[in-house]
Amino acid sequence: MSFFEDNLSRLMQNNPALASALRQSGTGRLEIVQARSGVPSARANGRWIHSAYDPIKEAQAWAESQSYQDGETIVLFGLGLLYQVEALCARLPRTAAVVLAVPDPSALADAAAARAWGDWMDRVVWAWGTAEAIGEQIASAGHPIRLVAYAPAASLHAESHRIIETILQRKVAAQAGGQLRIAVVGPIYGGSLPITRYAVSALKSLGHHVRWLDPSVHATSYHQLELLKNSQHRLALQSKYAEMLSRITMAQLAEDPPDLVLSLAQAPLILPMLEHLRRKRFLTAMWFVENYRHLTYWQQLAAGYDFWFVIQREHCMAALKQAGAKDVRYLPMAADPSVHRPLELTQAEREEYGSDVSFVGAGYANRRAIFPQLLNHEWKFKLWGNEWDGATELSSVLQRNGARIDTDTCQKVFNASAVNLNLHSWAGAGLDPNGDFVNPRTFELAACGAFQLSDRRSLMPDLLAANEIATVSSSGELPGAIARWLREPEQRLAMAANARRRVLAEHTYAHRMRDLLSQVGVASPDRIGAILRGARQAEALASTAADSFPVLASTLRTFPPTQRVELKQLAAQIRSRGPAGTLSREDLMLLMLDEYRSETKDLV
Amino acid sequence: MTSRALIIQLARLGDLVQSLPVITSLAARYPHRSLDLLCPAPLANLARLFPRVGQVLEWNGPRWHAWAKSFVGEFQHSWLREVEQYLTELTSDPYEMAYVLNQHPRAFLAGALLASEVQGPHLRGPLDEELSPWASYLRRVAQVRGSNRIHLSDAFCGLCGVTPLPVPPFLMPPSNDPPGDLAEVGISAGQWIAVVVGAGDADRSIPVAVWIEWISLLLAHGSPCSVVLVGASRDQTVAHAVQEGLSPLMAGRLWDAVGRTTLPQLATLLKRCHWAVGADTGPLHLATAVGTRAMGLYFSRARVHETGPYGQGHWVWQADRAVPETWPIQASVKMIRDPATVSQQEPVAGWSLWQSHYDEWGAVFRPVGEGDSQEDQRAAIWRQLSEQRMLLQGVQ
């Protein structure tokens, strides 16, 4: 009998439907080539899937490098000729559940024809079908899930894997009941400071314990350094100051170690500190809410964070990975509906803040070049914001003499304007030809129920549809578009209402933070994932401890069932019994561990 | 009668060596009982040289640290199995009695984990903050110092309910040669002096400049002395700095053993020397334990009466302030080169000289040249603390 028939007859016993699918799928997806060691290897699209020399040895090395915790279900993406499955099964305990994702039966059929499958077949579960179907099958497994990718083979089905991972993230988000302790590190000053505030607020609204390590309290001192005339001194001292703020942040983290350190762009954490945090097993993430082409300091930090979340896609993500980032994901901007909301304005406020056309923002080059063409029309144009020095043509429409506009004023302008312009910043003369990310103002305007006219962005269609936001693709279209939308107030209102509905449904900071945590949770099933699932809550811990450690289980039951319990709390509970309290062996072990735990904060 | 007992000493080298008297006293008091010792793993090979000790159990601090780190933020009860397995590897059956010598929760907890009954600083269990009479006395001494004349080694005896032996105990180092050129130490004629260059804490370290001057004076004028620098690996930089500052002419009479020996080898090396000189450090105490005469330079928190070199005939220069302004270099070198002149020592500003004696209450230091201004209250304190101890045991 051939390998193919032999393997299929075995597969028929535990998954007949998949066996039939393989029989019908045909082969030829993989090119089978003999390796130097004499066993079959494979190529696809001109690339090796397994080693050309020794696929077995290579698979064993790969399997050794994979993490696993008791009770987890390992889900493997990228099957190739299944050498790595064999090696993984040999390495894992027999009780470990292994699920193999099969997005393409024809590739598996090649594998079935190439070599004999071993006894590992009796240990694995096959998840196959469409990406959605595979995602649902894996999600219903119900265990803590650890996703593992054998990259050379997984890259053949990247899109399927992305869909499957998204489904699993949704599942984590839906199940999230556990409370994380999150330290949020914001910037000293700048545009990401309000974003930090919104992120903190959103995380709290999701029920997590959030500590905002806010270096903006040092902003005044930091700005004093900008007054130094000697640029060498200024740069050296600013660098030292940033390093000191980084150390202060480390000291704060050491006092109360969080489950996750979430930095926002411009957070003063330098690479050596991030590396030190990693050595101390802190999990770190950065939400880089900046245009990676404008601010390039990410190059020095890329390798420092465990997770990067960015507002741009392909090029940005590739550049970060090239610079050493291990895990980069897309997370667009959002709005905070408690801040960005429809307002009831007084007549006086309408007069002060209202206009036919308005823009709130800084005087970037493209805006300076475009806005003069909006003057001398039938509409009333008001320009708000700072950094417009030298734009003399626009002085007649510039409000408050170019003063910085605070958030409250900004909301009033949004609410009071008929057409809010939303031109993304760019250093050129017109609209950014490579404009990809969608700025916060887009979501903020929408959340206010305000109508906006934006420049077209490549990532816009995924976030807001054509009936939710009006766009132009060139600066020349702008006057005509303004005139058109001013003539159509009802359509403006309808479009603004659509946009608000969409933002409230999908694009709030709470959505973003839930996405961020669920992605980190899927990638870190034994840490963040476990906490989000509630596996660290007293009731869950007690039920799993009951058989092996009954005394521990009864101590755990003295806590409220949903309270998250760690060693620190357990030890405190044991100590609260007082001098006359009886201590079991388990109690003593926990107290001993807590003694050592209390000395593990040597971060500074 | 208890058949298995465990002594728990989880502190550093100096404390372990200073536990030798209580170990030998307990062994003498309970001759039919096996006596094991729990100490930090890096010290275990030295502890195996201790007389009257059966098994030496190794306390693996880094492993506990690793477990504790693993637990932080991701407590998993299943990991307790590893802890349980480790404890079972230490001893499958609990000891009948554990004597805990450290006033640290880890030591109390280790006692409670490994033995059915615990005798030590706490009156009752690990959560009890009430100290035993001897532990209270030690804590008071640590806080106030005052007129105490009871040595820490003897206080360990009191803590465990025994008295010091009539003669101080010694340990016998291995007879095989130390490695490499160190095999030459002690072979040639003349006095061999072990110089302990470092200290566990920076504030207890004697400055490099002081050592350079001290060794230069000792080896000057054709003296028949040789010097062996001793210490741990972390002291190698200091040892190099000292050698850099010395005349090249002294090279033939200077051996550098810093960081090059195991603890048993260090014990052998110290045994081959006539003197050991240094601050209040583990190697200085180890020298006294192998029978080598010690001269301590005590400053910072070190105090002669609590932790002077244990036994008879050792010397300590005690500074009257934490950071001395001058050092008794000439006087201390003279004591080594010409011991007969000790009684004619001129006073050294900022320092007092003490010599150790040994009697029924253990070791005690007395000033050279004049009487001790403090009355020796050891007998009264022993009586008082022993009565309190008996009373508490009776009540319990």
Side-chain angles (χ1 to χ4, degrees):
Chain A
M1 198 186 292
S2 68
F3 288 140
F4 186 78
E5 290 303 329
D6 195 23
N7 290 332
L8 255 61
S9 76
R10 289 187 72 176
L11 184 59
M12 187 68 80
Q13 288 165 27
N14 62 20
N15 199 324
L18 177 60
S20 302
L22 292 196
R23 197 173 290 286
Q24 290 162 17
S25 68
T27 55
R29 185 84 166 85
L30 303 179
E31 177 193 354
I32 308 299
V33 186
Q34 192 178 51
R36 291 263 181 91
S37 61
V39 300
S41 187
R43 290 160 60 94
N45 304 332
R47 288 187 176 182
W48 287 97
I49 300 294
H50 295 289
S51 165
Y53 296 90
D54 191 341
I56 295 175
K57 199 170 169 185
E58 176 199 46
Q60 285 166 345
W62 174 87
E64 281 303 315
S65 69
Q66 303 306 312
S67 303
Y68 172 75
Q69 297 282 338
D70 275 346
E72 286 178 352
T73 294
I74 295 271
V75 175
L76 176 63
F77 289 149
L79 301 185
L81 298 187
L82 300 149
Y83 286 111
Q84 70 283 11
V85 179
E86 196 167 344
L88 196 62
C89 287
R91 202 210 122 192
L92 295 176
R94 284 205 67 81
T95 50
V98 178
V99 177
L100 305 181
V102 186
D104 178 5
S106 67
L108 188 61
D110 287 325
R115 57 189 284 263
W117 291 349
D119 291 340
W120 54 263
M121 279 189 73
D122 303 328
R123 292 181 52 187
V124 302
V125 172
W126 304 87
W128 65 286
T130 62
E132 289 77 7
I134 294 172
E136 291 302 329
Q137 287 173 66
I138 295 169
S140 64
H143 290 288
I145 291 167
R146 182 178 290 276
L147 301 181
V148 172
Y150 177 67
S155 62
L156 298 178
H157 311 291
E159 182 57 18
S160 298
H161 296 155
R162 194 189 63 74
I163 294 169
I164 294 166
E165 198 167 347
T166 304
I167 291 168
L168 295 177
Q169 284 157 11
R170 275 197 221 117
K171 184 191 175 222
V172 170
Q175 286 180 337
Q179 186 190 47
L180 287 166
R181 289 197 327 275
I182 303 168
V184 178
V185 187
I188 305 171
Y189 66 96
S192 54
L193 184 56
I195 311 293
T196 308
R197 190 175 301 117
Y198 305 144
V200 166
S201 169
L203 288 167
K204 284 180 179 170
S205 76
L206 295 174
H208 301 293
H209 176 74
V210 186
R211 203 155 55 108
W212 182 0
L213 308 182
D214 184 9
S216 71
V217 295
H218 304 286
T220 310
S221 307
Y222 188 81
H223 287 313
Q224 283 297 311
L225 299 177
E226 289 168 0
L227 302 177
L228 290 170
K229 294 187 179 73
N230 182 320
S231 63
Q232 206 174 348
H233 290 169
R234 185 175 65 245
L235 290 171
L237 287 169
Q238 282 179 331
S239 168
K240 291 271 179 205
Y241 201 93
E243 186 182 332
M244 191 190 76
L245 292 179
S246 195
R247 286 188 183 279
I248 291 172
T249 306
M250 298 286 278
Q252 291 169 322
L253 292 171
E255 285 184 0
D256 186 12
D259 303 310
L260 177 69
V261 179
L262 173 61
S263 293
L264 272 290
Q266 308 266 32
L269 275 174
I270 58 178
L271 184 62
M273 301 294 168
L274 291 166
E275 287 170 340
H276 194 48
L277 284 174
R278 177 171 295 142
R279 283 194 292 275
K280 296 290 173 186
R281 302 190 79 242
F282 280 68
L283 210 56
T284 56
M286 157 62 89
W287 191 13
F288 190 70
V289 290
E290 302 276 8
N291 183 346
Y292 87 105
R293 297 185 186 96
H294 288 177
L295 292 178
T296 55
Y297 63 88
W298 51 266
Q299 291 168 349
Q300 284 83 51
L301 298 176
Y305 284 98
D306 296 313
F307 298 93
W308 279 84
F309 291 89
V310 294
I311 60 173
Q312 289 153 292
R313 278 194 184 273
E314 286 80 7
H315 295 302
C316 169
M317 295 165 91
L320 266 157
K321 283 187 176 170
Q322 179 77 22
K326 289 168 288 297
D327 192 312
V328 190
R329 293 151 191 270
Y330 173 60
L331 191 72
M333 299 305 307
D336 180 344
S338 69
V339 177
H340 312 115
R341 63 189 198 280
L343 297 175
E344 289 291 334
L345 300 177
T346 64
Q347 184 57 36
E349 286 174 326
R350 291 206 161 276
E351 284 171 12
E352 181 179 358
Y353 302 112
S355 65
D356 298 316
V357 181
S358 73
F359 177 81
V360 185
Y364 280 87
N366 62 329
R367 295 166 184 164
R368 287 169 181 253
I370 292 168
F371 287 158
Q373 64 178 298
L374 307 184
L375 302 174
N376 305 317
H377 288 275
E378 65 275 19
W379 55 71
K380 185 178 182 182
F381 178 36
K382 284 186 178 176
L383 178 59
W384 305 78
N386 55 344
E387 297 179 27
W388 290 99
D389 298 347
T392 48
E393 277 184 284
L394 296 167
S395 59
S396 63
V397 294
L398 185 62
Q399 306 298 301
R400 296 186 175 178
N401 208 21
R404 191 177 180 88
I405 301 299
D406 62 34
T407 302
D408 282 350
T409 305
C410 194
Q411 307 315 306
K412 288 175 183 170
V413 174
F414 288 171
N415 273 273
S417 304
V419 172
N420 287 281
L421 296 178
N422 179 15
L423 293 191
H424 290 73
S425 57
W426 190 48
L431 301 183
D432 183 356
N434 300 311
D436 47 7
F437 70 91
V438 176
N439 63 16
R441 193 191 296 108
T442 308
F443 302 100
E444 292 165 6
L445 281 161
C448 287
F451 175 82
Q452 64 182 304
L453 181 56
S454 172
D455 50 335
R456 199 159 292 158
R457 311 289 287 182
S458 63
L459 294 173
M460 183 81 84
D462 287 342
L463 300 165
L464 291 169
N467 66 342
E468 292 163 339
I469 187 166
T471 58
V472 292
S473 53
S474 72
S475 57
E477 293 174 25
L478 208 50
I482 291 170
R484 177 207 156 183
W485 288 108
L486 284 173
R487 283 196 304 272
E488 297 176 355
E490 287 177 6
Q491 286 190 36
R492 275 201 331 257
L493 289 174
M495 189 171 268
N498 291 342
R500 178 170 156 77
R501 266 195 299 277
R502 178 80 184 269
V503 166
L504 295 184
E506 296 179 24
H507 303 314
T508 66
Y509 284 98
H511 289 106
R512 298 297 183 255
M513 290 301 100
R514 191 180 290 129
D515 282 355
L516 182 149
L517 294 180
S518 61
Q519 292 187 53
V520 174
V522 167
S524 170
D526 54 329
R527 296 179 67 180
I528 300 296
I531 299 165
L532 285 172
R533 285 194 307 275
R536 303 271 186 273
Q537 291 175 356
E539 190 176 15
L541 286 170
S543 65
T544 50
D547 291 340
S548 311
F549 298 97
V551 179
L552 169 61
S554 73
T555 306
L556 285 162
R557 291 205 171 91
T558 62
F559 290 90
T562 57
Q563 181 178 327
R564 185 170 158 203
V565 180
E566 289 173 29
L567 187 56
K568 191 177 174 180
Q569 287 81 34
L570 266 173
Q573 185 82 330
I574 294 166
R575 287 195 185 95
S576 71
R577 293 176 201 161
T582 311
L583 296 176
S584 70
R585 189 170 174 77
E586 290 162 36
D587 293 331
L588 291 166
M589 289 193 287
L590 290 165
L591 289 175
M592 181 68 88
L593 286 164
D594 194 55
E595 283 296 325
Y596 281 89
R597 177 202 60 79
S598 63
E599 291 189 13
T600 58
K601 296 174 183 170
D602 52 336
L603 272 176
V604 185
Chain B
M1 172 65 75
T2 308
S3 61
R4 283 176 83 231
L6 179 70
I7 293 191
I8 296 178
Q9 173 53 274
L10 296 182
R12 292 190 278 192
L13 173 63
D15 296 80
L16 178 68
V17 175
Q18 290 180 95
S19 305
L20 192 55
V22 67
I23 292 170
T24 49
S25 288
L26 279 168
R29 172 77 173 272
Y30 304 106
H32 302 297
R33 186 172 66 182
S34 73
L35 190 61
D36 293 349
L37 172 62
L38 176 73
C39 69
L43 306 181
N45 279 339
L46 179 70
R48 292 192 176 99
L49 301 178
F50 281 22
R52 314 296 296 270
V53 170
Q55 298 280 322
V56 174
L57 279 53
E58 300 184 14
W59 189 251
N60 193 334
R63 201 166 172 197
W64 281 98
H65 266 298
W67 277 321
K69 268 189 196 169
S70 305
F71 274 70
V72 173
E74 45 181 316
F75 169 71
Q76 285 189 20
H77 63 83
S78 59
W79 294 343
L80 283 180
R81 287 195 196 99
E82 280 185 36
V83 179
E84 176 69 65
Q85 191 183 338
Y86 167 74
L87 291 170
T88 307
E89 284 166 8
L90 285 180
T91 178
S92 49
D93 295 318
Y95 286 86
E96 278 79 9
M97 172 68 80
Y99 296 100
V100 176
L101 302 183
N102 314 108
Q103 293 205 29
H104 194 287
R106 287 177 196 172
F108 318 150
L109 289 164
L113 278 164
L114 299 172
S116 310
E117 195 180 334
V118 179
Q119 202 168 116
H122 283 193
L123 279 180
R124 286 170 281 272
L127 297 180
D128 180 23
E129 290 183 3
E130 192 179 349
L131 295 176
S132 69
W134 272 99
S136 297
Y137 179 76
L138 281 172
R139 181 163 292 183
R140 214 162 43 243
V141 168
Q143 288 165 348
V144 184
R145 294 289 165 89
S147 59
N148 173 59
R149 292 293 180 268
I150 297 179
H151 194 279
L152 177 67
S153 292
D154 301 321
F156 283 158
C157 292
L159 204 61
C160 298
V162 289
T163 51
L165 292 180
V167 289
F170 294 103
L171 65 83
M172 189 52 68
S175 55
N176 41 336
D177 277 340
D181 62 316
L182 299 178
E184 300 165 18
V185 169
I187 301 292
S188 64
Q191 297 217 78
W192 286 80
I193 292 74
V195 170
V196 186
V197 291
D201 303 316
D203 62 339
R204 287 207 210 192
S205 294
I206 295 169
V208 167
V210 172
W211 279 132
I212 292 170
E213 191 180 340
W214 196 92
I215 296 170
S216 297
L217 188 63
L218 180 78
L219 300 183
H221 309 305
S223 101
C225 293
S226 300
V227 166
V228 188
L229 304 181
V230 298
S233 303
R234 64 171 179 268
D235 304 321
Q236 281 176 326
T237 312
V238 174
H240 289 154
V242 169
Q243 290 171 81
E244 289 278 309
L246 292 173
S247 162
L249 296 174
M250 293 171 184
R253 287 183 290 155
L254 187 80
W255 274 256
D256 181 3
V258 177
R260 294 174 58 201
T261 59
T262 62
L263 286 174
Q265 287 169 341
L266 177 61
T268 302
L269 204 63
L270 290 166
K271 174 80 178 161
R272 292 184 179 196
C273 293
H274 300 91
W275 284 87
V277 184
D280 181 8
T281 57
L284 192 77
H285 292 292
L286 184 56
T288 66
V290 297
T292 299
R293 185 173 294 178
M295 186 189 298
L297 297 168
Y298 276 38
F299 56 101
S300 185
R301 287 163 287 132
R303 219 175 83 114
V304 57
H305 302 297
E306 282 85 55
T307 57
Y310 192 82
Q312 187 144 17
H314 303 297
W315 302 90
V316 168
W317 288 92
Q318 175 74 59
D320 62 6
R321 61 190 62 193
V323 184
E325 289 176 358
T326 58
W327 295 80
I329 294 172
Q330 296 230 3
S332 57
V333 168
K334 193 178 174 195
M335 284 171 66
I336 291 174
R337 290 182 56 174
D338 192 2
T341 62
V342 170
S343 56
Q344 297 132 39
Q345 276 286 352
E346 291 291 317
V348 177
W351 294 84
S352 54
L353 179 61
W354 300 77
Q355 186 177 24
S356 69
H357 300 268
Y358 196 84
D359 59 22
E360 63 181 311
W361 304 114
V364 67
F365 279 81
R366 300 214 170 93
V368 173
E370 58 189 61
D372 193 347
S373 61
Q374 299 289 339
E375 189 186 346
D376 185 353
Q377 297 177 325
R378 287 179 300 147
I381 292 166
W382 269 93
R383 264 195 302 277
Q384 182 195 342
L385 295 175
S386 300
E387 278 169 16
Q388 285 177 16
R389 188 170 179 277
M390 302 269 282
L391 196 64
L392 281 164
Q393 282 179 335
V395 169
Q396 286 170 348

